Amino acid sequence: MLENKSDLILNKVYEFRVLRKMSQSDLAKVVGVSKQTIFVMEKNNYSPSLLLAYKIADFFGVSIEEVFIYQKGGI
């Protein structure tokens, strides 16, 4: 199946991070990426790898679907 250009992966990384009272730098260190990666991910300008998505969800103690939401675009 071809990926539709309007398909998106939205996320709630910002919400989970703020609830934990963490900075972007703190979360970045925990999951092994740069602060910039967290910044662009929170702005929905970057879709993480599957491994990174699982690391983030695992850190917050929730399922991957609670943090990352697939939004299918128009056909």
Side-chain angles (χ1 to χ4, degrees), residues 22-47:
M22 299 179 75
S23 69
Q24 290 175 336
S25 294
D26 293 337
L27 180 57
K29 287 177 192 171
V30 169
V31 297
V33 296
S34 70
K35 175 187 169 193
Q36 182 67 16
T37 298
I38 300 299
F39 174 79
V40 295
M41 190 184 320
E42 288 182 353
K43 298 292 184 192
N44 287 308
N45 291 330
Y46 171 76
S47 294

Side-chain angles (χ1 to χ4, degrees), residues 45-57:
N45 291 330
Y46 171 76
S47 294
S49 69
L50 189 55
L51 179 60
L52 178 55
Y54 271 106
K55 284 181 178 182
I56 292 169

Side-chain angles (χ1 to χ4, degrees), residues 2-70:
L2 294 176
E3 179 181 320
N4 187 322
K5 295 291 183 192
S6 61
D7 289 354
L8 298 170
I9 301 291
L10 303 175
N11 70 76
K12 296 181 180 178
V13 174
Y14 174 81
E15 290 87 341
F16 280 98
R17 180 178 62 76
V18 168
L19 285 173
R20 286 276 183 104
K21 298 180 179 167
M22 299 179 75
S23 69
Q24 290 175 336
S25 294
D26 293 337
L27 180 57
K29 287 177 192 171
V30 169
V31 297
V33 296
S34 70
K35 175 187 169 193
Q36 182 67 16
T37 298
I38 300 299
F39 174 79
V40 295
M41 190 184 320
E42 288 182 353
K43 298 292 184 192
N44 287 308
N45 291 330
Y46 171 76
S47 294
S49 69
L50 189 55
L51 179 60
L52 178 55
Y54 271 106
K55 284 181 178 182
I56 292 169
D58 184 61
F59 173 75
F60 290 123
V62 297
S63 70
I64 196 168
E65 293 88 1
E66 291 179 72
V67 182
F68 298 94
I69 302 98
Y70 171 63

